[in-house]
Amino acid sequence: MEMGYLKVQTFMGEYLFPVAGAKIIVKCGEGNVLYELYTDKNGLSERIPLPASEHSRRYTVEISHDGGFRRTIVHGVEIFPGITSTLPVQMQPATDNLINDNEIFIPYKRGADLENRFAPEKPEAVKLNFETAALPDYIIVHMGCPDESAENLKLLFKDYIKETH
């Protein structure tokens, strides 16, 4: 079976303050605990090797800290063969009105279709019929910035195309 890898990064604020000593529990789809480890002084875990399949394998990652933070549970963390993924976790302080778990559910097949979701769309080819295309004889070129007072030159269109080419 191929392996993929996971690193967990814990922080407060906008990545400004790492949270050291956060407890990380990685569970498989059936709920069995596979790993239990802690983040270092930089808020990073060691690289966790996890079984991966051709498309992805999904895991649940629980992050907790005894220092007054809410527990975060991320369901559906995807692991791909040969890839090290980083799971960034913003730790939230436990307050009187925010003491329950912070649960995050990653939608199914989120990463399995990345190639299709992020492939740039190919624009339709524009076909010009040069026998019927209307081209101007002249073009006006403003010699300054759009909002600036400047000279306007009237050029033959064919000369304008030749000079900018």
Side-chain angles (χ1 to χ4, degrees):
M1 169 154 305
E2 291 191 73
M3 300 299 282
Y5 303 91
L6 176 66
K7 288 186 88 161
V8 178
Q9 177 184 19
T10 56
F11 58 92
M12 288 183 0
E14 298 295 321
Y15 291 94
L16 295 176
F17 304 103
V19 176
K23 182 179 182 180
I24 300 164
I25 298 174
V26 179
K27 296 179 179 180
C28 65
E30 296 79 34
N32 298 329
V33 174
L34 301 174
Y35 288 93
E36 187 175 312
L37 62 156
Y38 294 85
T39 58
D40 65 16
K41 67 180 180 177
N42 298 312
L44 293 170
S45 73
E46 59 188 65
R47 193 168 83 143
I48 307 164
L50 293 165
S53 65
E54 182 178 321
H55 296 288
S56 73
R57 274 302 263 285
R58 297 169 63 78
Y59 296 89
T60 297
V61 180
E62 296 179 11
I63 304 95
S64 60
H65 196 284
D66 292 336
F69 293 100
R70 291 173 65 194
R71 182 171 71 154
T72 298
I73 304 169
V74 184
H75 302 275
V77 175
E78 292 181 286
I79 302 298
F80 298 91
I83 295 175
T84 299
S85 300
T86 300
L87 178 63
V89 179
Q90 184 176 24
M91 302 297 287
Q92 298 175 353
T95 61
D96 291 339
N97 56 350
L98 287 176
I99 56 173
N100 58 330
D101 292 340
N102 177 29
E103 288 199 73
I104 300 168
F105 294 88
I106 299 173
Y108 183 66
K109 290 191 176 182
R110 179 171 176 256
D113 65 343
L114 284 180
E115 182 177 310
N116 295 334
R117 289 194 311 155
F118 293 109
E121 292 185 23
K122 295 180 182 169
E124 295 281 329
V126 176
K127 295 181 181 177
L128 292 178
N129 181 345
F130 288 104
E131 293 174 8
T132 60
L135 297 175
D137 292 326
Y138 293 92
I139 187 167
I140 305 297
V141 178
H142 183 71
M143 299 304 290
C145 293
D147 297 336
E148 186 178 281
S149 176
E151 181 182 9
N152 290 331
L153 297 178
K154 183 177 180 180
L155 300 174
L156 282 171
F157 184 72
K158 67 177 184 172
D159 291 338
Y160 174 77
I161 297 298
K162 184 171 55 175
E163 292 301 319
T164 58
H165 177 200

